[in-house]
Amino acid sequence: MDENCIFCKLANGVFSTNVVYEDDDFTAFLDASPAAEGHTLIVPKKHVANAFELPDDLGAKVYPVVKKVAARQKEVLGCDGVNVLQNNGPAAGQTVFHFHVHVIPRFDGDGVMKDWDHLELSDDKQKEICDKLKF
């Protein structure tokens, strides 16, 4: 745990929060500044700054928690869908530098999140990018 990290303190119970799920690795709690009612953050108890630093074993455990939280939101809140969002770095909108996943309940027509602008790239440009990204 990083003593200077607010999410470490929230995930490890140093500060109280509205916990909806907890296991040995993660705490899921309601976002203090939600985009929608029920907006939940899934936060590892171990300090990890972002997905680039996320150990594979912890990464393998996070999506089963996402699934549990999303299913519970659908069951209890009756949402029509969910957004699962995870930001890495300031350019991507990360403001708290402790890995976390947002699970945001969505209702048809709620207008909570704007869709991003879609680029129109030529087939040649797409192939060029694909060639660069291939492993």
Side-chain angles (χ1 to χ4, degrees):
M1 186 171 101
D2 180 338
E3 293 296 327
N4 297 314
C5 175
I6 186 69
F7 273 19
C8 279
K9 291 177 181 178
L10 291 168
N12 288 286
V14 174
F15 298 131
S16 65
T17 190
N18 294 303
V19 174
V20 299
Y21 174 84
E22 185 172 14
D23 64 23
D24 291 341
D25 298 302
F26 300 96
T27 303
F29 51 85
L30 297 181
D31 192 312
S33 298
E37 290 182 14
H39 179 165
T40 301
L41 301 178
I42 300 169
V43 181
K45 293 179 177 181
K46 175 183 177 182
H47 184 77
V48 178
N50 53 49
F52 302 113
E53 297 179 13
L54 187 68
D56 289 346
D57 63 327
L58 199 56
K61 294 176 181 179
V62 72
Y63 264 86
V65 178
V66 168
K67 183 178 174 182
K68 286 178 187 179
V69 169
R72 185 71 175 165
Q73 289 173 339
K74 186 162 181 56
E75 174 189 344
V76 174
L77 302 175
C79 56
D80 299 308
V82 300
N83 285 112
V84 177
L85 178 66
Q86 202 281 309
N87 303 321
N88 296 283
Q94 185 178 15
T95 58
V96 177
F97 298 95
H98 182 118
F99 175 89
H100 57 286
V101 178
H102 296 259
V103 185
I104 305 169
R106 296 298 305 277
F107 296 87
D108 290 336
D110 64 13
V112 168
M113 294 177 65
K114 179 191 175 301
D115 191 18
W116 55 72
D117 295 329
H118 296 269
L119 299 177
E120 292 185 27
L121 299 176
S122 69
D123 290 343
D124 288 342
K125 184 64 175 176
Q126 288 284 67
K127 181 166 179 11
E128 176 188 332
I129 294 167
C130 181
D131 290 344
K132 288 179 182 178
L133 289 173
K134 281 184 183 177
F135 291 85

